[in-house]
Amino acid sequence: MSAQPDHAPVTTYVPAPGAPAELLAQLRADKRAGTWVLAFEREWAAALEESRRTFSLAALYEVVQDWQGRLASAPAVDAFVASGYDDSEFIDMAELRGRRR
């Protein structure tokens, strides 16, 4: 028998206590701050409401983890865009599905 209640999701990722504030400071320092800070604050507020409703920190942890990943991958995305890679041959699957109807 487990000491963990079966209705409580197991969270494998637990950020440091100051991680949200540090993350917000990094987002404010980024060149995308104009859009990213607002998006982070919106997602954080929604997760906070869910946390209050469910008595679980999982949604807050997920927001921090997602934004840490976005911030960490931003330089690679910038390099890809700057490389001039021609993606004009990209196939839009939604467009293809629309043609079949």
Side-chain angles (χ1 to χ4, degrees), residues 24 36 38 73 78 99:
L24 188 54
W36 278 18
L38 293 173
S73 63
D78 290 342
R99 287 182 188 170

Side-chain angles (χ1 to χ4, degrees), residues 40-78:
F40 172 79
E41 288 174 342
R42 190 177 324 112
E43 288 180 28
W44 183 259
L48 193 56
E49 277 304 309
E50 182 178 336
S51 178
R52 288 180 180 139
R53 244 186 16 265
T54 62
F55 297 100
S56 170
L57 298 175
L60 295 169
Y61 293 169
E62 186 177 328
V63 169
V64 170
Q65 187 174 23
D66 287 350
W67 279 96
Q68 285 173 334
R70 288 177 187 150
L71 199 56
S73 63
V77 171
D78 290 342

